[in-house]
Amino acid sequence: MMDDLKDLAAATTLYVALECAGFLTGVGQDTTVMVRSIPLRGFDQQMAGLVTDYMQAYGTRFSQGCVPQRVDKLPSGLLQVTWTNPQTGGQETDCFDSVLWAV
């Protein structure tokens, strides 16, 4: 199964999503975490910054200012995620093999 998973989006920054993104990056998967506002809300933000800096240094990508709107399955089998960027007010999209939606 891991061979089929090439690019993954985690559509939240709850600690569970960051844990999953970290281990998936660790086993060689391209992983993007979509951040709505701040990672690990409610946690000490100095520690949250250290965690996300460490994850970025080891290859996890973070997309800031993303409010996911929908996920569409394309004929190719890829999942197209559409989100609103609150800073620009515009909609953006990207395609992934899998999406982890931790709520």
Side-chain angles (χ1 to χ4, degrees), residues 56-71:
Q56 284 178 316
Y58 282 87
T60 302
R61 291 183 305 276
F62 286 83
S63 292
Q64 300 289 333
C66 296
V67 180
Q69 300 298 313
R70 69 175 193 267
V71 178

Side-chain angles (χ1 to χ4, degrees), residues 8 10-24 31 33-36 38-45 47-48 51-52 55 60 62 100-103:
L8 174 109
T12 181
T13 52
L14 297 170
Y15 72 92
V16 171
L18 292 183
E19 286 177 326
C20 291
F23 76 70
L24 288 166
T31 308
V33 177
M34 302 180 86
V35 180
R36 181 173 48 97
I38 60 172
L40 298 172
R41 178 183 302 283
F43 286 76
D44 177 84
Q45 285 304 292
M47 286 305 300
V51 169
T52 55
M55 291 177 71
T60 302
F62 286 83
L100 168 71
W101 203 293
V103 291

